[in-house]
Amino acid sequence: MPGDMPRHADLMERARRVIPGGMYGHQSTARLPASFPQFFSRAEGARMWDADGREFIDYMCGYGPNLFGYGFAKVEAAVDAQRALGDSMTGPGPVMVELAEAMVATVAHADWAMFCKNGTDATSMALLVARAHRGRRKIVLARDTYHGAAAWSTPRPGGVLPEDRAHLIYCRYNDPQSLEDAVREAGDDLAGICVTPFRHETFRHQHLPELEFARLARELCDRHDALLILDEVRAGFRLARDCSWHDLGVEPDLSCWGKAIANGHPLSALLGSERAREAAQKPYLTGSFWFSAVPMAAAVATLKEIRESDYLERTIRTGTALRDGLQQQAASHGFSLRQTGPVQMPQILFEEDDDFRLGYAWVEGALKRGIYLHPFHNMFICAALTEADVRETLEKTDLAFADLRRDAPGLQGPPPQIAATVAAMAGDRR
Amino acid sequence: MPGDMPRHADLMERARRVIPGGMYGHQSTARLPASFPQFFSRAEGARMWDADGREFIDYMCGYGPNLFGYGFAKVEAAVDAQRALGDSMTGPGPVMVELAEAMVATVAHADWAMFCKNGTDATSMALLVARAHRGRRKIVLARDTYHGAAAWSTPRPGGVLPEDRAHLIYCRYNDPQSLEDAVREAGDDLAGICVTPFRHETFRHQHLPELEFARLARELCDRHDALLILDEVRAGFRLARDCSWHDLGVEPDLSCWGKAIANGHPLSALLGSERAREAAQKPYLTGSFWFSAVPMAAAVATLKEIRESDYLERTIRTGTALRDGLQQQAASHGFSLRQTGPVQMPQILFEEDDDFRLGYAWVEGALKRGIYLHPFHNMFICAALTEADVRETLEKTDLAFADLRRDAPGLQGPPPQIAATVAAMAGDRR
């Protein structure tokens, strides 16, 4: 950072002039504590630096893409090699075939692969393929689940028409009766059931899938000749070296992938079983950069590391150390955390903090000491995070808890930037 | 290429197993002559090499992204510099602000910018913003115009529901009466008019915009407080260093960009005027890789080259040399070409070739001599194409015309892979 120039504040001011609201989308800090930086100048391994040069251990991993660490050498070497050949050409590179084969070899249910750019591309494509399968219309999904930001899925109403969701039927995640009811409502018009492998919504506790729910989803799709779609965009390869439900013995017909599959390079994918192959050829789906070779080369290298390294065991180990450490630490300061979901994708909320005042104050205390935690979104543990990083994190969070113990009595809640959300939830953080 | 292995045929066979149909989307060669390669191993400047090592002068430019040449040094240097810092981080880099400022400084109507990945993202976002503007539903567009591959726009019916297009009203491009009628049909529910800057559809002659049509679109949007959306995804910065209608004196409220704005790196954008800023903040729109810093750094370097180099004049010069040369050459062989659209985005069809048998045979003759032309899609001239490349092209196309003169009497048409399209058009190539 040159001299004392408050570069970050200047950037925010400039951004307000040329970007609506100063920023938009999931990386907007509008609903985060005011001290959270909007712009980052650098990232490496498990760390990042904001535009004023402040260093953070990053527990967001770019909201998911960073699986092995920012700038992970083996993936970047594959990128270098492919860049020297070509990227966005008049057709795909041979690497597209290599990647499709690697995906099919890695994910048990998959017999084929199609690549795209956004997670939303993959989930939207899955809906079209499911509808093309038997020419039916109804898709059953879990209420309040994030499946992307297209008109059919985006969580805010601005610009969305009722017709965009005309044939979506909502059930409750992990509730077999509710799923059966939704399928009954679809009648003979059921195209598919689309669910995330576990429940990972903002502002809410996470929930692992109930075996009965997962099996019932599969059974209902079989019974009605509909397609089971697993939306792995956020969780893919974070829980398993296969679909997240593989160990449950439940295989989907279609699975949607994105985020981490190329360790930060822009790529998403729809994988499918033989049963869905014909339907996958019916819709016309494409994008200017869907066939670019460089992100595919990054994905081939990422998949190789997924198969050959102990990244999964390591992220579970560091994630467990973080969870256990925080739980004890919170108790020692008189607080109670509810940490939910897989340890490598933790959601960390305070018990008895329905208006998030404790959570917001605590992450601010951690942030000012160089630990970037999120107050309402699940986090991610990357394989570059070391046990020493976790120890450093816990040293800093201990200080943040001490601050919180001192400041809690004076806190007014909810934080104004999330007051409307908190009011709408009315304490329901199930 | 190692030894005599027919690598390309092997790739095609492997692809058929792990990719539905062997390939999909706009870069699928399923409707091209059988000799056209599906996979490319390398690209540089204005040339590319297929998986068997055959070299081509490429007139498709990756279907648009390649503006200055594959691997253009100044853009790649910016990519190198940003990659050393960070790409897909937990927030955007400062380069996002720099790029938004550069876009606003370059495009006259734009007061703000939002970035995304696919052209489809930008056009879909434009529809949501237009609908959010006054809470209205109807969008007027030109029939048979390609605006992307989402359910509301994709040209094939597979998986698409009538509701996906419930509030779209179609007019005829360049037909003022038809535009007025469509706006009248929208009544007090008109959200916007969405058009391409010129008519560039596959299998059809291209048409430059009529001034009366463009002015009327602007006037109708003003009269009804609706938003005029210019879809520049394919044509952006190919015709002007601003919106393509700038020289007509017609400015949109929203413009959609993609393809060439980062010279092949994955980025698209929605630009807007002050009038649309508030509406742009209403929908929730985002994507995992929309805020990645590397493609933005590429776009900043691309915009600099757009403003500071004579790329536009050069592509017009080489495009003119190609058009003039082909026209004379065709005549000398007893054929008549109809070459339409801007010379730097040429559509080259044969007169009296409604079933495309002449066009298909001619591009095959050129392809086997190392010239990659397209039989039904508009092409692109990149700034790396030299006058020597055009001379080399014309030498080869002359031989292709000679072959065609010899073979034409025996040709049966239409080519089987486009027979259905040709039948559906019934000779209408307007």
Side-chain angles (χ1 to χ4, degrees):
Chain A
M1 189 183 65
D4 293 316
M5 193 177 72
R7 188 159 181 238
H8 198 275
D10 177 54
L11 276 171
M12 294 285 280
E13 179 52 37
R14 288 164 56 198
R16 269 189 288 274
R17 286 195 286 268
V18 292
I19 300 169
M23 182 54 185
Y24 56 95
H26 67 294
Q27 292 197 340
S28 165
T29 57
R31 295 198 299 173
L32 288 175
S35 57
F36 273 57
Q38 179 64 79
F39 297 98
F40 293 95
S41 293
R42 191 158 80 80
E44 192 182 333
R47 297 186 183 235
M48 61 189 182
W49 289 261
D50 75 8
D52 286 335
R54 292 190 299 168
E55 179 177 336
F56 303 97
I57 297 181
D58 171 31
Y59 284 94
M60 285 312 291
C61 293
Y63 285 75
N66 177 20
L67 180 60
F68 298 127
Y70 293 117
F72 183 67
K74 289 181 199 173
V75 170
E76 297 311 311
V79 165
D80 289 338
Q82 183 61 54
R83 267 184 81 203
L85 297 172
D87 185 15
S88 300
M89 302 181 283
T90 288
V95 69
M96 183 179 181
V97 181
E98 195 186 338
L99 176 59
E101 289 172 341
M103 279 292 202
V104 165
T106 305
V107 175
H109 88 89
D111 295 309
W112 53 261
M114 296 172 81
F115 301 101
C116 32
K117 286 288 114 175
N118 305 309
T120 304
D121 296 338
T123 56
S124 298
M125 195 188 301
L127 261 59
L128 267 85
V129 171
R131 285 170 171 158
H133 178 57
R134 293 292 177 249
R136 301 187 199 147
R137 296 176 298 176
K138 306 293 180 186
I139 304 285
V140 169
L141 354 127
R143 188 170 298 285
D144 296 327
T145 296
Y146 184 76
H147 288 297
W152 67 270
S153 55
T154 186
R156 285 219 307 256
V160 174
L161 306 178
E163 285 84 353
D164 293 323
R165 298 171 188 202
H167 297 284
L168 304 182
I169 301 177
Y170 298 97
C171 70
R172 282 186 299 278
Y173 196 89
N174 266 347
D175 180 338
Q177 186 60 53
S178 158
L179 177 59
E180 292 228 50
D181 292 347
V183 167
R184 188 172 310 112
E185 185 183 333
D188 58 5
D189 202 13
L190 182 70
I193 297 174
C194 177
V195 284
T196 51
F198 70 98
R199 188 153 163 73
H200 48 53
E201 302 317 313
T202 52
F203 293 100
R204 291 169 189 274
H205 303 303
Q206 299 191 121
H207 293 277
L208 297 179
E210 303 282 349
L211 182 59
E212 186 192 351
F213 181 77
R215 282 185 180 157
L216 179 64
R218 177 68 271 168
E219 189 192 312
L220 290 168
C221 285
D222 288 339
R223 197 187 306 161
H224 295 278
D225 193 14
L227 300 186
L228 178 58
I229 304 162
L230 204 57
D231 176 357
E232 294 270 13
V233 172
R234 203 184 300 181
F237 297 132
R238 293 270 174 190
L239 277 61
R241 294 179 178 86
D242 199 318
C243 265
S244 302
W245 281 6
H246 182 69
D247 288 344
L248 296 182
V250 177
E251 301 288 359
D253 302 297
L254 298 171
S255 56
C256 309
W257 304 74
K259 298 278 191 191
I261 64 169
N263 203 56
H265 293 272
L267 193 73
S268 62
L270 179 69
L271 307 187
S273 61
E274 206 51 57
R275 185 168 173 238
R277 189 192 291 258
E278 195 186 331
Q281 294 174 58
K282 291 180 183 171
Y284 182 78
L285 295 162
T286 199
S288 302
F289 306 108
W290 287 16
F291 311 115
S292 302
V294 165
M296 293 186 185
V300 168
T302 300
L303 280 177
K304 185 168 155 50
E305 189 71 6
I306 285 170
R307 285 193 306 268
E308 297 179 2
S309 79
D310 64 344
Y311 83 100
L312 187 54
E313 294 70 24
R314 277 189 285 130
T315 57
I316 292 173
R317 202 157 56 232
T318 44
T320 302
L322 179 70
R323 180 167 292 186
D324 292 349
L326 288 175
Q327 206 66 17
Q328 291 167 23
Q329 203 168 71
S332 78
H333 288 279
F335 295 106
S336 181
L337 292 182
R338 183 156 168 207
Q339 303 185 75
T340 55
V343 293
Q344 63 275 39
M345 285 179 67
Q347 175 79 307
I348 306 179
L349 303 180
F350 282 69
E351 299 277 16
E352 294 171 17
D353 185 34
D354 283 356
D355 63 8
F356 290 81
R357 75 177 79 176
L358 297 178
Y360 266 60
W362 179 65
V363 297
E364 284 207 86
L367 186 91
K368 77 178 182 191
R369 295 177 171 96
I371 309 300
Y372 192 104
L373 300 169
H374 204 291
F376 62 78
H377 192 293
N378 79 271
M379 292 173 262
F380 300 87
I381 305 289
C382 75
L385 189 83
T386 64
E387 294 183 22
D389 290 330
V390 173
R391 283 195 299 275
E392 181 182 340
T393 300
L394 290 169
E395 283 167 26
K396 309 289 179 62
T397 54
D398 196 45
L399 299 171
F401 276 120
D403 283 1
L404 184 64
R405 187 171 48 179
R406 181 193 66 214
D407 299 337
L411 288 178
Q412 305 296 320
Q417 60 272 48
I418 57 162
T421 305
V422 166
M425 292 181 67
D428 175 13
R429 308 202 297 176
R430 279 178 304 189
Chain B
M1 189 183 67
D4 293 317
M5 193 177 73
R7 190 162 178 234
H8 198 274
D10 177 55
L11 277 171
M12 293 286 280
E13 180 51 38
R14 289 164 56 198
R16 268 189 288 274
R17 287 195 287 269
V18 292
I19 299 169
M23 180 55 185
Y24 56 95
H26 67 294
Q27 292 197 341
S28 166
T29 57
R31 295 199 299 172
L32 288 175
S35 57
F36 273 56
Q38 179 64 80
F39 297 98
F40 293 95
S41 293
R42 191 158 79 81
E44 191 182 332
R47 296 185 184 237
M48 61 189 181
W49 289 261
D50 75 8
D52 286 335
R54 292 191 298 167
E55 178 177 337
F56 304 97
I57 297 180
D58 171 30
Y59 285 94
M60 285 311 291
C61 293
Y63 286 75
N66 176 20
L67 180 60
F68 298 127
Y70 293 116
F72 183 67
K74 289 181 198 171
V75 170
E76 297 311 311
V79 165
D80 289 338
Q82 183 61 54
R83 266 184 83 202
L85 296 172
D87 185 14
S88 299
M89 302 181 282
T90 289
V95 69
M96 183 179 181
V97 180
E98 197 186 336
L99 176 59
E101 289 172 341
M103 279 292 203
V104 165
T106 305
V107 175
H109 89 89
D111 294 309
W112 53 261
M114 296 173 80
F115 301 101
C116 32
K117 285 289 113 175
N118 305 310
T120 303
D121 296 338
T123 55
S124 298
M125 194 187 301
L127 261 59
L128 267 85
V129 171
R131 284 168 171 158
H133 178 58
R134 292 292 177 250
R136 301 187 198 148
R137 296 176 299 174
K138 307 292 180 187
I139 304 284
V140 169
L141 354 126
R143 189 170 298 284
D144 296 327
T145 297
Y146 185 76
H147 288 296
W152 67 268
S153 55
T154 185
R156 286 218 308 256
V160 174
L161 305 178
E163 286 84 352
D164 293 323
R165 299 172 186 201
H167 297 285
L168 305 182
I169 302 177
Y170 298 96
C171 70
R172 282 187 299 278
Y173 196 88
N174 266 346
D175 181 337
Q177 185 60 52
S178 158
L179 178 59
E180 291 228 51
D181 291 346
V183 167
R184 188 172 310 113
E185 185 184 333
D188 58 4
D189 202 14
L190 182 72
I193 297 173
C194 177
V195 285
T196 51
F198 70 99
R199 188 154 164 72
H200 47 54
E201 301 318 313
T202 52
F203 293 99
R204 291 169 189 276
H205 303 303
Q206 299 191 122
H207 292 276
L208 296 178
E210 302 282 349
L211 181 59
E212 186 191 350
F213 180 77
R215 281 186 180 156
L216 180 64
R218 177 69 272 168
E219 189 192 313
L220 289 168
C221 285
D222 288 338
R223 198 187 303 160
H224 295 277
D225 194 13
L227 299 185
L228 178 58
I229 304 162
L230 205 56
D231 175 357
E232 294 270 12
V233 172
R234 202 183 301 180
F237 297 133
R238 293 270 174 190
L239 278 61
R241 295 178 176 86
D242 199 319
C243 265
S244 301
W245 280 7
H246 182 69
D247 288 345
L248 296 183
V250 177
E251 301 287 0
D253 301 297
L254 298 171
S255 55
C256 308
W257 303 74
K259 298 278 191 191
I261 64 170
N263 203 54
H265 292 272
L267 194 72
S268 61
L270 179 69
L271 307 186
S273 61
E274 206 52 57
R275 184 167 175 240
R277 189 191 291 258
E278 195 186 332
Q281 294 174 60
K282 291 180 182 171
Y284 181 78
L285 295 162
T286 199
S288 303
F289 306 108
W290 286 17
F291 311 116
S292 302
V294 165
M296 293 185 185
V300 167
T302 299
L303 280 176
K304 185 167 154 55
E305 189 71 5
I306 285 170
R307 286 194 306 268
E308 297 178 3
S309 80
D310 64 343
Y311 84 100
L312 186 55
E313 294 71 24
R314 276 189 286 130
T315 58
I316 292 173
R317 201 156 54 231
T318 44
T320 302
L322 179 71
R323 180 166 293 186
D324 292 350
L326 288 175
Q327 206 67 18
Q328 291 166 22
Q329 205 166 70
S332 77
H333 288 279
F335 295 106
S336 180
L337 292 181
R338 184 154 168 208
Q339 303 185 75
T340 54
V343 294
Q344 63 275 39
M345 286 179 67
Q347 175 80 308
I348 306 179
L349 304 180
F350 281 69
E351 299 277 15
E352 294 170 17
D353 186 35
D354 282 356
D355 64 7
F356 291 81
R357 74 178 79 177
L358 297 178
Y360 267 59
W362 179 66
V363 298
E364 283 206 87
L367 186 90
K368 75 178 182 191
R369 296 177 170 96
I371 309 300
Y372 193 105
L373 300 169
H374 203 292
F376 63 77
H377 192 293
N378 78 272
M379 292 173 262
F380 300 88
I381 305 290
C382 76
L385 188 83
T386 64
E387 294 182 22
D389 291 330
V390 173
R391 283 195 298 274
E392 182 183 340
T393 300
L394 289 170
E395 282 167 27
K396 309 288 178 65
T397 54
D398 196 44
L399 299 171
F401 277 120
D403 283 1
L404 184 64
R405 189 170 46 178
R406 183 193 65 213
D407 299 336
L411 289 177
Q412 305 296 319
Q417 59 272 47
I418 57 162
T421 305
V422 165
M425 292 181 68
D428 175 13
R429 308 202 297 176
R430 278 177 305 190

